[in-house]
Amino acid sequence: MEKGKVVKLHIEDMSSEGSGIGRSDGQVVFVENCVKGDTVKARITKAKKNYALAECLEIVEPSGSRIHGFCPYAKECGGCPLGDMEYEAQLEIKEGWVRDKLERIGGLQAPVVRPIIGMEEPFRYRNKAEFKVGPMGEVGFFARKSHRVIDCPDCRIQRQEIMGVADGLRQYLAEFGNGAGIKGMTVKMSFGTGEMMAILEARSDDVPYLEELCGYMNEGSGYNLESIFINEELVAGRSVISDEMEGLKFEISRDSFYQVNPAQTAKLYGKAVEYADVKEGHTVLDLYCGVGTIGLFAARTVGNDGLVLGIETVKQAVLDANRNSVINGIVCTRYIQGKAEEELPAVLGIRPKMGYDGENRLVEKEPVIRISHADVAFVDPPRAGCEETLLEAVAEAGPDRIVYVSCDPATLARDVKYLEERGYCFVEAQPVDMFCHTGHVETVVLMTRV
């Protein structure tokens, strides 16, 4: 198949990047700006040995699940590649992604994948937005596959209060210009308390007319922001915002990871704790623990005779996790700052913990705590999944149950296969639609020791 060729094809599936997948002359073709069920004419833009990329020229026959008017910025932005489909069709596709990866990459035959948990109202669900600022005062998001900023006065998956903060920044730039070189802004919002935080990224720490900027952002959101940062410096309010979820209280700082969809997070973590079947007195590993959310859910059952051991690379998140334990009156938690793949083997005594002494010599260090086993392990890694050294250490700890929370079905399936080879059995997977209209799906998997 050569570049420039025009083909007619039926879109059989969708990729996680939002491209339609069809076939022509037996070859897989990825087509932009179409959805599953469309029949299209497309021009080949790049031809590879095993696949081709194409642009959609004409939708000959639209899919029965296609909708119109989802978002005026959708074609340029690319942040919601499934937005032109009915929501039920999106859920079907995402559930299929999980099953397909577990079969093809994980090597599982007919894996049990529970029906995906969707949202009743899949809009205005995000508690965090990362805005970019363009040269003409645009405040929005990068266009698809570029660094051109699209000015977005609204985004249907963001809370209106968050978009209001962005509008306040937009008004400030229109009146005072961009002398400080503001490049972007992250806004976090607590749905439980309504508290908000704005973190501005600028070339200069000295932002002119700062009081006016704060006023515009407060007016736009309808709230007084709890925290405003310029680069690393807190310039107004306090350094954290507070949230509440399922009877627990949390404090979230500038750099801490916190799930972006509170409604679905409660369902996701509820399923994770259900799978874990934690008992009083258990020793529980909470790997990639962030601000301690999953572990604190489990700690309420573990009780004072048990232990929840969290490991997290971000120092501030570890401080938040400790503070969240204190806020909720939980005393059975311990948190370690470091890479899970390095800290857990040291804690178990599998490999020594190495570090530098005061004279910059590499020496063996005593771990913060030692354990010989774990009853349950929660693993919630970033998109890249786990390193084999960590999975090996988890298996060595011998938990009866491993609960793996994943935001990428491919790396999930890869790690499931590794654990199956280390004496664990895949039981079932529960997909959760945390990122409605996007090409991402969250999954929680239960594995038990053979």
Side-chain angles (χ1 to χ4, degrees):
M1 187 175 298
E2 66 277 5
K3 182 179 178 181
K5 182 179 179 180
V6 176
V7 295
K8 181 180 178 181
L9 64 164
H10 182 71
I11 303 303
E12 303 167 358
D13 204 347
M14 301 285 291
S15 74
S16 58
E17 289 76 29
S19 294
I21 303 174
R23 292 181 181 274
S24 180
D25 297 330
Q27 190 172 25
V28 173
V29 182
F30 295 91
V31 188
E32 292 187 348
N33 298 325
C34 56
V35 303
K36 182 179 179 179
D38 283 343
T39 299
V40 303
K41 279 186 180 178
R43 178 185 292 115
I44 303 299
T45 57
K46 186 176 291 186
K48 297 288 188 179
K49 182 178 180 181
N50 298 318
Y51 69 93
L53 305 181
E55 60 177 345
C56 180
L57 300 177
E58 178 188 354
I59 298 175
V60 178
E61 185 177 343
S63 167
S65 62
R66 176 178 279 279
I67 61 173
H68 299 282
F70 169 75
C71 172
Y73 314 104
K75 288 285 190 292
E76 284 187 289
C77 171
C80 296
L82 303 185
D84 286 337
M85 301 186 70
E86 293 177 347
Y87 185 56
E88 289 301 319
Q90 296 181 31
L91 296 179
E92 181 183 332
I93 285 173
K94 291 184 179 185
E95 187 180 312
W97 288 340
V98 174
R99 183 176 288 103
D100 173 68
K101 296 298 190 295
L102 288 172
E103 290 176 347
R104 288 195 303 106
I105 299 174
L108 301 176
Q109 293 186 356
V112 177
V113 179
R114 299 296 179 188
I116 188 170
I117 299 174
M119 296 190 75
E120 291 182 13
E121 292 292 333
F123 301 99
R124 308 292 182 194
Y125 62 82
R126 285 188 62 96
N127 61 14
K128 177 183 175 183
E130 297 181 17
F131 297 102
K132 304 299 180 183
V133 175
M136 304 303 293
E138 306 96 329
V139 179
F141 309 102
F142 282 145
R144 185 198 301 258
K145 298 180 181 179
S146 82
H147 286 89
R148 178 174 61 86
V149 178
I150 304 167
D151 192 54
C152 290
D154 193 20
C155 172
R156 294 191 69 191
I157 65 174
Q158 297 289 353
R159 281 291 287 257
Q160 289 171 318
E161 297 91 336
I162 290 177
M163 298 309 300
V165 176
D167 192 54
L169 175 59
R170 188 180 291 108
Q171 292 181 57
Y172 165 85
L173 294 171
E175 182 169 349
F176 299 106
N178 197 2
I182 297 173
K183 297 184 288 184
M185 176 177 67
T186 298
V187 182
K188 297 182 178 184
M189 180 180 183
S190 158
F191 285 13
T193 64
E195 294 179 0
M196 301 181 72
M197 172 188 291
I199 307 151
L200 290 115
E201 180 189 3
R203 284 189 288 271
S204 169
D205 292 336
D206 184 19
V207 174
Y209 305 104
L210 182 59
E211 186 174 340
E212 286 80 358
L213 172 58
C214 295
Y216 273 128
M217 292 196 299
N218 285 333
E219 182 180 351
S221 68
Y223 289 79
N224 286 326
L225 275 73
E226 290 289 324
S227 314
I228 299 177
F229 290 84
I230 305 292
N231 296 329
E232 303 294 312
E233 183 182 355
L234 179 68
V235 298
R238 59 194 184 101
S239 61
V240 297
I241 57 174
S242 303
D243 199 7
E244 298 175 0
M245 187 189 306
E246 299 295 305
L248 289 172
K249 298 178 180 179
F250 298 94
E251 287 192 349
I252 306 143
S253 60
R254 182 191 65 211
D255 298 325
S256 296
F257 170 78
Y258 196 66
Q259 291 281 9
V260 301
N261 185 333
Q264 295 296 84
T265 297
K267 297 173 186 176
L268 178 79
Y269 289 168
K271 178 58 69 172
V273 172
E274 176 192 322
Y275 278 170
D277 193 26
V278 173
K279 298 290 192 295
E280 187 173 353
H282 270 179
T283 296
V284 177
L285 297 175
D286 185 7
L287 307 175
Y288 308 95
C289 66
V291 299
T293 327
I294 297 180
L296 291 176
F297 273 73
R300 295 186 291 190
T301 303
V302 167
N304 294 346
D305 293 332
L307 171 68
V308 174
L309 177 61
I311 304 177
E312 168 61 45
T313 57
V314 179
K315 182 178 180 180
Q316 186 58 55
V318 172
L319 295 174
D320 289 346
N322 277 305
R323 186 165 55 243
N324 290 332
S325 294
V326 172
I327 291 170
N328 290 285
I330 294 172
V331 298
C332 62
T333 55
R334 292 289 299 275
Y335 294 101
I336 299 174
Q337 192 257 318
K339 294 181 178 179
E341 57 269 20
E342 296 175 1
E343 299 295 337
L344 183 59
V347 166
L348 293 167
I350 300 171
R351 281 189 298 278
K353 176 178 169 61
M354 306 302 292
Y356 291 94
D357 63 10
E359 298 180 6
N360 206 31
R361 294 176 300 191
L362 189 64
V363 297
E364 184 175 335
K365 298 257 184 173
E366 183 66 21
V368 175
I369 188 174
R370 288 189 181 273
I371 62 173
S372 59
H373 83 290
D375 298 290
V376 174
F378 292 104
V379 185
D380 188 3
R383 197 167 299 280
C386 300
E387 292 191 13
E388 288 189 358
T389 51
L390 174 64
L391 296 175
E392 179 186 355
V394 170
E396 188 72 22
D400 292 326
R401 290 170 176 248
I402 297 174
V403 180
Y404 192 127
V405 180
S406 167
C407 56
D408 187 288
T411 55
L412 166 67
R414 178 201 68 198
D415 292 349
V416 163
K417 183 176 183 179
Y418 184 91
L419 288 169
E420 285 247 331
E421 295 167 352
R422 296 300 183 277
Y424 283 84
C425 176
F426 172 90
V427 178
E428 66 178 53
Q430 175 63 72
V432 180
D433 192 24
M434 295 278 286
F435 314 99
C436 313
H437 312 294
T438 76
H440 303 296
V441 59
E442 200 89 3
T443 311
V444 56
V445 160
L446 171 61
M447 302 193 72
T448 57
R449 190 169 56 164
V450 176

